[in-house]
Amino acid sequence: MSADNAAAIPALETDLMGAVRVDCYVRSNVPTAVSEQLTELLERLRTLEETGTLADVQVSQWPAERAIGDTDQPTREELVAEFDEWATEHGYSLEPGFCRQQIDLSPLGIDTPSETIRVPLVALAFYDDTDESMQGIVPCTNSDHADGKRTYTVHEWLTAVERHASEASPHGTQTEQRALLEGSQ
């Protein structure tokens, strides 16, 4: 299954056109080179929203790992638990993109170890725009793949959706549309 096969990638098993909301989670502190790549990725998501392929795109920084005070926003731990529940129910795993790690709170090892969740630089969660049910998450890994484990990335998902949208569009790709508007082919 390649990125060219849209049905092989989570949340592309049904028609997307305007039916999927995407919640994009990004790390807050990233190097400049990575920041430029994230900006490009966000532009691609916004384009898919503007063309009606996606119903809505929400971009957020990863929330705090644990709640501080009263808040109605989910913590990172709660969000990852929701993602993990979807993945388990649908035959996927969040690893290696998401990883739980044990940390010692004290350099002397006096405190009991705690667990932290390492999240990817960027992750996309997909929800049905009408009933708010979770439809998928990338990155994720399918262990039932014919060649062993198969990890789906955010870039692959975007490429597949863009290809799916251009094939579904009666007007062709944006490049073809631009060429027609400029009078050249």
Side-chain angles (χ1 to χ4, degrees):
M1 293 180 204
S2 69
D4 294 343
N5 183 359
I9 297 179
L12 282 183
E13 296 158 356
T14 59
D15 184 25
L16 281 174
M17 298 309 286
V20 175
R21 182 188 91 228
V22 175
D23 289 352
C24 176
Y25 296 94
V26 296
R27 285 193 193 166
S28 57
N29 297 326
V30 295
T32 303
V34 174
S35 176
E36 291 168 4
Q37 291 175 342
L38 285 175
T39 299
E40 179 185 319
L41 178 140
L42 296 176
E43 288 172 4
R44 292 170 69 189
L45 278 170
R46 293 289 182 213
T47 299
L48 289 168
E49 179 184 26
E50 290 167 6
T51 60
T53 302
L54 300 174
D56 189 28
V57 173
Q58 299 294 318
V59 179
S60 307
Q61 291 181 359
W62 283 106
E65 196 160 348
R66 291 177 180 77
I68 300 172
D70 285 338
T71 179
D72 60 346
Q73 299 299 315
T75 64
R76 181 181 313 166
E77 196 169 292
E78 292 167 337
L79 209 51
V80 172
E82 176 188 356
F83 298 165
D84 194 41
E85 181 180 335
W86 178 90
T88 302
E89 287 176 6
H90 293 85
Y92 294 94
S93 167
L94 296 181
E95 292 182 3
F98 296 80
C99 181
R100 293 189 181 275
Q101 299 172 323
Q102 293 285 41
I103 56 170
D104 289 326
L105 299 178
S106 163
L108 301 174
I110 298 169
D111 296 327
T112 57
S114 179
E115 187 175 75
T116 187
I117 302 170
R118 184 191 53 135
V119 294
L121 289 173
V122 63
L124 304 178
F126 317 108
Y127 297 88
D128 183 297
D129 196 46
T130 55
D131 68 8
E132 296 294 314
S133 63
M134 187 166 194
Q135 301 295 306
I137 177 86
V138 286
C140 68
T141 301
N142 181 350
S143 57
D144 295 335
H145 191 267
D147 300 329
K149 291 184 178 184
R150 170 73 167 89
T151 299
Y152 298 101
T153 67
V154 171
H155 175 74
E156 284 177 316
W157 187 86
L158 278 170
T159 300
V161 171
E162 290 164 340
R163 186 167 289 123
H164 177 75
S166 70
E167 290 170 359
S169 170
H171 303 293
T173 65
Q174 288 182 349
T175 305
E176 291 170 344
Q177 291 173 6
R178 224 177 284 124
L180 290 173
L181 290 173
E182 294 170 358
S184 62
Q185 292 186 0

